[in-house]
Amino acid sequence: GIVVLGLNRSHAKNALNKNLLKMMTKTVDALKSDKKVRTVIFRSEVPGIFCAGADLKERAKMHSSEVSSFVSKARATINEMANLPVPTIAAIDGTALGGGLELALACDIRVAASSAKMGLVETKLAIIPGAGGTQRLPRTIGVSLAKELIFSARIVDGEEAKSIGLISHVVEQNEAGDAAYRRALALAREFLPQGPVAMRVAKLAINQGMEVDLVTGLAIEEACYAQTIPTKDRIEGLLAFKEKRPPRYKGE
């Protein structure tokens, strides 16, 4: 039930170009409707790099109208990732800058090696984050600190990222260079025993509830809870509890 998506544009440090965005969109579309998928991990296959952001060499060759279209496509692709119905984890074993960090911010959970480097550095190029960074970073670490990091284009390591709440887990890098991925995998395995429908509905309730006031959020929770009542997952969960055994969920 765990799907691992690995970025592998080694010659360009996994920079996001038109073709990579197209491939990502196609893959995410396929995952949306696959009921066998329980958790998605985004990682890099390139040592020392998660994603260096947008492919600036490709962008330099674009007409100004093409740039706007490219940024819109990147924003839409990352939004589709954020809207995947199952838990998503970003395993950051290397550098995640600009669009690379925006990609990670779209995931539900971020795990990073202590040596990893992260930052929204667009203001150095006299532009701003355009694929969700100005919206998701403040929601993750708070408005004032997000402004500070974006205004300064500061890059933080894994330890500092953990201290400010940018990531959930920080791990020491190993010889293989995949410590964050291994931690993400262990985390994903913790999710597997839970009811598939409940996991999807819980994510929906949290995501929608965070954008509204508490009263409305509680109404969203009530509506989402109702979706779990008639499911086979819930019946199996209660039965397993009664019989004192692990539940055997098949999804619906």
Side-chain angles (χ1 to χ4, degrees):
I2 301 171
V3 173
V4 180
L5 299 183
L7 298 174
N8 195 354
R9 255 194 107 210
S10 57
H11 66 284
K13 297 183 179 180
N14 289 340
L16 302 172
N17 67 348
K18 290 180 180 179
N19 188 52
L20 184 54
L21 288 175
K22 182 178 179 181
M23 293 171 67
M24 289 170 62
T25 298
K26 184 177 180 180
T27 302
V28 170
D29 282 343
L31 292 174
K32 282 183 196 173
S33 57
D34 190 340
K35 298 298 183 182
K36 294 180 181 179
V37 177
R38 303 287 296 279
T39 300
V40 178
I41 297 175
F42 290 89
R43 68 168 300 198
S44 169
E45 303 287 346
V46 182
I49 292 290
F50 178 73
C51 175
D55 189 331
L56 297 181
K57 290 183 179 179
E58 182 184 73
R59 182 181 291 190
K61 299 176 183 178
M62 294 180 187
H63 186 271
S64 57
S65 60
E66 290 182 284
V67 172
S68 179
S69 176
F70 173 80
V71 174
S72 294
K73 177 63 177 176
R75 185 183 304 114
T77 300
I78 290 175
N79 279 341
E80 288 299 307
M81 282 176 42
N83 291 328
L84 277 170
V86 297
T88 54
I89 307 172
I92 308 170
D93 274 306
T95 302
L97 301 177
L101 182 54
E102 288 176 307
L103 188 157
L105 282 166
C107 293
D108 299 313
I109 299 164
R110 284 162 295 286
V111 180
S114 56
S115 58
K117 304 297 182 183
M118 291 157 270
L120 295 179
V121 296
E122 286 85 350
T123 52
K124 283 187 176 181
L125 302 174
I127 57 176
I128 68 170
T134 63
Q135 303 306 305
R136 291 193 175 95
L137 188 63
R139 284 167 166 79
T140 302
I141 65 173
V143 174
S144 182
L145 191 51
K147 286 178 178 178
E148 180 180 329
L149 293 185
I150 291 173
F151 295 166
S152 65
R154 186 185 306 151
I155 296 173
V156 299
D157 62 16
E159 295 291 349
E160 185 175 356
K162 176 66 170 67
S163 71
I164 63 176
L166 178 57
I167 62 175
S168 300
H169 303 274
V170 59
V171 290
E172 288 297 319
Q173 190 56 281
N174 57 27
E175 290 185 10
D178 64 352
Y181 168 63
R182 289 177 182 272
R183 182 67 182 89
L185 200 55
L187 196 57
R189 287 176 177 142
E190 288 186 48
F191 300 162
L192 286 181
Q194 322 314 329
V197 175
M199 295 290 280
R200 291 168 179 254
V201 175
K203 176 171 177 174
L204 181 65
I206 295 168
N207 284 356
Q208 292 189 351
M210 286 299 295
E211 302 302 322
V212 298
D213 62 86
L214 180 59
V215 172
T216 306
L218 290 171
I220 290 171
E221 180 184 79
E222 182 179 8
C224 287
Y225 186 89
Q227 295 181 41
T228 69
I229 292 176
T231 66
K232 294 178 182 178
D233 281 354
R234 185 171 184 270
I235 296 170
E236 166 60 16
L238 294 174
L239 187 62
F241 179 79
K242 181 180 179 181
E243 297 175 356
K244 298 181 180 180
R245 61 169 174 81
R248 295 183 289 270
Y249 297 118
K250 296 180 180 179
E252 296 186 4

